[in-house]
């Protein structure tokens, strides 16, 4: 029996960064990126779920929170070689 839903777990930092990126993507000409209308439904569902789950997106210090989350998620300069090696695997 197949699982009826897929569950994706994100850290608060990952969710914040992804939410911001999805917002930016939705505000652009997505037809350049998304060539299949079927992709819109899951993109909107993910974005909506993130928006509901992240009250901090409306905080006055949102930009600072976002930058802090991005900084935590970026690989350290020392890790760049191992990240590239992992991408080749």
């Amino acid at each position: 029996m197949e699982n009826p839903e897929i569950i994706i777990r994100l850290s608060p930092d990952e969710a914040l960064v992804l939410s911001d990126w999805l917002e930016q993507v939705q505000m652009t000409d997505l037809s350049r990126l998304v060539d299949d209308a079927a992709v819109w439904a899951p993109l909107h569902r993910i974005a909506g779920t993130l928006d509901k789950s992240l009250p901090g997106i409306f905080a006055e210090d949102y930009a600072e929170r976002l930058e802090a989350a991005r900084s935590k998620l970026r690989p350290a300069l020392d890790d760049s070689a191992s990240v590239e090696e992992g991408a080749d695997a």
Side-chain angles (χ1 to χ4, degrees):
M1 183 171 143
E2 286 187 35
N3 188 356
E5 292 186 338
I6 303 297
I7 297 172
I8 299 171
R9 298 190 194 286
L10 300 171
S11 72
D13 290 332
E14 291 169 330
L16 186 62
V17 170
L18 180 59
S19 174
D20 184 73
W21 181 81
L22 283 171
E23 178 68 22
Q24 290 179 36
V25 168
Q26 290 177 332
M27 300 305 279
T28 64
D29 180 14
L30 278 177
S31 61
R32 293 181 304 136
L33 297 172
V34 180
D35 61 352
D36 183 352
V39 176
W40 287 105
L43 281 177
H44 288 305
R45 185 169 182 177
I46 291 168
T49 299
L50 289 171
D51 287 351
K52 290 180 209 169
S53 303
L54 295 167
I57 63 174
F58 302 108
E60 288 184 25
D61 64 343
Y62 172 74
E64 292 83 11
R65 291 179 188 212
L66 178 61
E67 189 50 43
R70 287 177 173 162
S71 294
K72 290 177 194 173
L73 294 174
R74 285 186 188 113
L77 295 177
D78 298 6
D79 295 342
S80 61
S82 62
V83 170
E84 290 174 11
E85 290 171 6
D88 294 337

